[in-house]
Amino acid sequence: TSVVPAPAGGGNGAAAPGVVNPQVGEEAAYRAAYELVREKSFDDAVSAFLAFLADFPFGRYAPNAHYWLGELYLVLDPPDPELARQSFKILLDQYPADPKVPDALYKLGRLQFIKGNRQRSQEYLDEVIREYPSHAAAQLARQFLLENF
């Protein structure tokens, strides 16, 4: 089972438009990190995205980097749900208009469920359904609620 959905901005790992113009080297660094995800080199990808965020903390691709860190922390062996939660939460808090927000809300709902926080889980899932009713993440949230609540 893959937990690596297509990145925002299309299927090529591109960042969402309108954040900021990329700095010199930013796009290459992001693409190199994303390629490690595609190669399933998850530990290396985490290191690459952390280095990317250290070099370009407010760059155009920063929201996607936070999203991918959240995803990656869930597929590491062992997984780290708390670091995943923190990564998705940074995306929500710092980039509330980013196209990955619905996916991050869904992931947060699932994470809270895993952690045993059913009420908080349902709040996140309800939010993605309410705020993004036609998004694929809303359909996933509806299905998750049907199966688990």
Side-chain angles (χ1 to χ4, degrees):
T1 302
S2 175
V3 296
V4 183
N12 62 0
V19 178
V20 293
N21 289 330
Q23 301 169 27
V24 174
E26 180 187 355
E27 184 172 357
Y30 176 82
R31 289 191 181 281
Y34 181 73
E35 188 57 32
L36 293 167
V37 174
R38 292 173 49 103
E39 294 170 1
K40 298 188 180 348
S41 298
F42 299 138
D43 290 313
D44 292 338
V46 167
S47 297
F49 278 120
L50 289 172
F52 172 85
L53 286 169
D55 291 341
F56 308 101
F58 304 106
R60 177 179 180 189
Y61 297 89
N64 271 18
H66 288 293
Y67 179 83
W68 287 114
L69 280 170
E71 288 281 12
L72 288 163
Y73 287 130
L74 294 174
V75 296
L76 292 180
D77 189 18
D80 193 330
E82 179 54 25
L83 286 178
R85 185 196 67 77
Q86 291 173 21
S87 296
F88 292 130
K89 193 76 171 83
I90 288 169
L91 173 62
L92 293 184
D93 293 345
Q94 294 183 5
Y95 308 96
D98 190 80
K100 289 308 257 183
V101 165
D103 296 306
L105 286 167
Y106 169 69
K107 295 291 181 171
L108 283 165
R110 292 201 52 153
L111 278 166
Q112 292 297 338
F113 185 84
I114 290 167
K115 292 174 74 172
N117 300 329
R118 291 176 60 87
Q119 181 178 345
R120 190 69 186 115
S121 171
Q122 188 163 5
E123 289 169 5
Y124 278 122
L125 296 169
D126 286 344
E127 183 177 352
V128 73
I129 292 166
R130 182 180 64 252
E131 298 297 324
Y132 307 93
S134 62
H135 194 279
Q139 182 56 40
L140 292 171
R142 286 184 197 95
Q143 189 65 36
F144 191 83
L145 285 168
L146 281 173
E147 294 171 0
N148 296 286
F149 286 88

